Amino acid sequence: MQDFIRITKALADSNRVRALLALGDGELCACQIIELLNLAPSTVSKHMSVLKQAGLVLGRKTERWMYYRLPTENENSKMVGEVIKLVFSLLNSDNAVSLDRVNLKKITKRNPSNLGKTQRGK
């Protein structure tokens, strides 16, 4: 039951759901998620921490960069896998999600180093 509560709390914020959905096509640098959500780095870090604690995303640090991705079937519980599938199936055709996909394509074409410079200037 505690895992379910942790998962539902993590999904109770639209920015966390947007971040989760953004990872549907693969791993993203935190700077790319920051750019997509247009939030402060510390706010995005907290959101990603909540998603990680719920088991909905995995993170890895490479030098100064933090990367996030969805867990594979072998890396998560059955509940996490089912919830991720449900979120994607229910929100796949949502207008805001479609807009995020378009914006994310533009963001991922940019060099993460340049994104970081822009964000530090905010």
Side-chain angles (χ1 to χ4, degrees):
M1 170 103 62
Q2 287 304 313
D3 289 343
F4 179 76
I5 298 301
R6 221 178 344 268
I7 291 168
T8 55
K9 283 183 179 180
L11 295 174
D13 182 277
S14 62
N15 286 312
R16 288 194 287 268
V17 174
R18 288 175 64 205
L20 181 74
L21 291 166
L23 297 171
D25 288 330
E27 185 176 71
L28 293 173
C29 175
C31 60
Q32 294 166 319
I33 299 169
I34 291 165
E35 189 75 13
L36 176 69
L37 300 180
N38 196 28
L39 296 172
S42 60
T43 303
V44 171
S45 178
K46 177 63 178 167
H47 283 315
M48 298 313 291
S49 176
V50 171
L51 290 169
K52 276 178 59 179
Q53 289 172 2
L56 295 168
V57 302
L58 297 174
R60 70 177 176 87
K61 188 166 177 95
T62 302
E63 297 176 12
R64 65 184 192 131
W65 304 102
M66 189 68 190
Y67 293 90
Y68 296 97
R69 65 178 174 83
L70 297 176
T72 64
E73 272 188 42
N74 297 333
E75 295 172 319
N76 65 26
S77 68
K78 182 177 182 191
M79 185 184 307
V80 166
E82 292 298 318
V83 167
I84 290 173
K85 286 179 196 172
L86 180 64
V87 169
F88 276 83
S89 68
L90 291 175
L91 296 175
N92 192 41
S93 60
D94 183 85
N95 289 338
V97 174
S98 297
L99 183 58
D100 276 354
R101 272 193 221 105
V102 169
N103 289 334
L104 192 57
K105 283 183 183 179
K106 295 174 188 172
I107 291 167
T108 55
K109 288 180 182 177
R110 295 174 57 194
N111 185 327
S113 300
N114 293 337
L115 291 174
K117 290 175 188 171
T118 305
Q119 292 158 5
R120 285 188 298 275
K122 285 186 181 180

